Amino acid sequence: MSAILVTGGAGFLGSHLCDRLIERGDDVICVDNFFTGRKQNIQHLIGHPQFELVRHDIVHPLYLECDQIYNLACPASPVAYQYNAIKTIKTSTVGMVNVLGLAKRCRARILHASTSEVYGDPEVHPQTEDYWGHVNPLGPRSCYDEGKRVAESLCMNYHLAHDLEVRLIRIFNTYGPRMDPNDGRVISNFITQALRGEPLTIYGDGSQTRSFCYVDDLIAGMMKLMDNDEHTGPFNIGNPVENSMLELAEKVLAETQSKSELKNLELPADDPKQRCPNIEKARTLLGWEPKVPLETGLKSTVAYYREQLGV
Ligand code: NAD
Ligand code: UDP
Ligand code: UDP
């Protein structure tokens, strides 16, 4: 049994991670400032003897004791991370330093949640971990992309300077129950629009691609990476099956049996045209690969949104 700190533990991915760690027998300290996290994601854990909730913003120093740290604190939806871009940068830089300082003092292994966005609008496809990326440092996504790139550099430099045990995961688009219905990401938008009978908003012509990983697969990969004793990373963790946004819309309409129409809206600036992970490194070195096809994952996700929306 270990004491494990999960920053961003009340968010979409963090709350699933808290569940898995508690099931395994660990003690979990969840730190969250509730910017995009929701109490309902962790409601069922309140009062559990292995669970502790601390409302705290990692931009400010935090002192507590733990054996391992999963650093997930950071808004992930483009709408949320652009709402207060400077705050997003602070979370990935000042916040990252604080969490690394804590890890250093506790001699705790730390896994940092990085992102496929470090590859920007990629010119290499599918993306491998040795690709350096194609990021606009001044564009509307830069607060997130560049923040996450600095965070990776900080992790690597704490590892080199202080022999800190670091694990870097580059997460590709992940979906599933507990994604905030209002967070503006494509799967939550399409499903809530389909269930309400509203038009599905396709940004641009819908030919841009993403690869969608179901949350259970992602969390399994994240924990495998944390618990391996050899490899720092970075590791791409995601599902390598690529879909255009038009294909995704069709799948959502089929699963919800909705008659919603499609409505084209302007493509946001710097929106990556294609994204797909090469996961050979995770397959070979961690023995991990995703198991849940999009059609299967959409079923439980749609069921969750039906309950949330009461439809
Ligand atoms: P989310 O927005 O649901 O969760 C983020 C959590 O961090 C929220 O609970 C939020 O309140 C908390 N938070 C934000 N800033 C904080 C701060 N300064 N101090 C303390 N808590 C703070 O997003 P998610 O999808 O669960 O993403 C979790 C992590 O995974 C993020 O770091 C994100 O960048 C990364 N990631 C997610 C995806 C994805 O597809 N879901 C893809 C790539 C990377
Ligand atoms: N820090 C923290 N909790 C701890 C230890 C450190 O929040 O348990 C913060 C503290 O604000 C510090 C930062 O992490 O400034 C970086 O710590 P480090 O030891 O790397 O640097 P230093 O204290 O030497 O600046
Ligand atoms: N998108 C869309 N309609 C929406 C929301 C998003 O067509 O209502 C597109 C968006 O332009 C992007 C893709 O879906 O190309 C994925 O967007 P999301 O915000 O989920 O994540 P990203 O991968 O861009 O960070």
Side-chain angles (χ1 to χ4, degrees):
M1 192 184 82
S2 309
I4 303 191
L5 169 62
V6 179
T7 75
F12 161 48
L13 296 181
S15 63
H16 285 277
L17 175 64
C18 291
D19 284 347
R20 296 291 90 74
L21 294 170
I22 285 172
E23 272 168 29
R24 193 175 74 173
D26 294 315
D27 280 340
V28 170
I29 309 164
C30 165
V31 165
D32 206 295
N33 70 349
F34 290 101
F35 173 50
T36 50
R38 293 180 300 158
K39 284 203 182 123
Q40 61 163 270
N41 290 344
I42 47 162
Q43 197 67 50
H44 58 290
L45 297 175
I46 304 289
H48 193 292
Q50 288 159 249
F51 184 77
E52 205 178 330
L53 174 64
V54 181
R55 180 187 273 266
H56 179 83
D57 190 316
I58 61 161
V59 165
H60 304 291
L62 66 161
Y63 289 84
L64 41 82
E65 310 308 315
C66 61
D67 304 306
Q68 282 189 344
I69 303 171
Y70 286 86
N71 185 44
L72 273 60
C74 184
S77 149
V79 177
Y81 69 63
Q82 289 172 33
Y83 173 77
N84 186 343
I86 295 169
K87 177 67 194 217
T88 300
I89 298 174
K90 283 187 188 169
T91 295
S92 288
T93 55
V94 181
M96 186 79 245
V97 169
N98 286 332
V99 178
L100 284 163
L102 173 69
K104 183 182 130 199
R105 184 180 55 75
C106 296
R107 299 313 298 166
R109 184 181 289 178
I110 174 169
L111 177 144
H112 172 63
S114 188
T115 167
S116 53
E117 289 283 323
V118 299
Y119 303 123
D121 190 2
E123 292 151 317
V124 167
H125 192 71
Q127 292 79 56
T128 44
E129 288 88 348
D130 56 6
Y131 176 49
W132 290 358
H134 179 228
V135 172
N136 176 356
L138 300 176
R141 298 174 83 100
S142 67
C143 58
Y144 184 73
D145 300 11
E146 298 290 17
K148 290 283 189 180
R149 286 165 68 97
V150 172
E152 283 200 9
S153 174
L154 281 167
C155 287
M156 198 46 82
N157 282 298
Y158 266 77
H159 169 61
L160 296 173
H162 301 297
D163 213 19
L164 193 65
E165 284 197 87
V166 164
R167 301 289 178 265
L168 287 175
I169 177 173
R170 290 184 180 154
I171 303 171
F172 283 65
N173 296 63
T174 301
Y175 70 98
R178 298 190 197 156
M179 261 179 114
D180 187 338
N182 301 312
D183 84 356
R185 287 186 260 190
V186 68
I187 293 216
S188 39
N189 274 7
F190 282 2
I191 296 179
T192 53
Q193 290 161 346
L195 291 177
R196 289 176 173 140
E198 296 165 359
L200 271 56
T201 51
I202 310 275
Y203 299 168
D205 63 7
S207 64
Q208 71 272 32
T209 68
R210 293 294 186 273
S211 308
F212 295 102
C213 185
Y214 189 61
V215 60
D216 291 356
D217 282 335
L218 191 283
I219 300 298
M222 189 183 269
M223 289 171 66
K224 270 205 158 174
L225 171 55
M226 174 62 113
D227 293 334
N228 99 83
D229 289 326
E230 282 174 64
H231 308 290
T232 295
F235 282 90
N236 289 340
I237 299 286
N239 192 316
V241 179
E242 197 176 348
N243 285 274
S244 71
M245 294 312 101
L246 281 177
E247 287 165 343
L248 175 68
E250 292 306 326
K251 289 193 164 111
V252 168
L253 289 177
E255 182 52 42
T256 51
Q257 299 190 320
S258 164
K259 296 193 171 45
S260 285
E261 294 176 349
L262 306 184
K263 177 166 125 191
N264 289 89
L265 296 180
E266 201 177 330
L267 186 69
D270 296 343
D271 198 282
K273 282 179 275 307
Q274 51 184 7
R275 186 184 290 151
C276 178
N278 176 314
I279 58 164
E280 273 322 295
K281 193 173 168 188
R283 270 202 182 105
T284 323
L285 299 182
L286 302 177
W288 174 87
E289 63 181 1
K291 297 189 173 71
V292 183
L294 183 54
E295 290 75 5
T296 312
L298 280 178
K299 275 192 204 310
S300 48
T301 311
V302 167
Y304 173 78
Y305 286 113
R306 277 193 197 284
E307 200 187 302
Q308 289 278 304
L309 304 180
V311 291

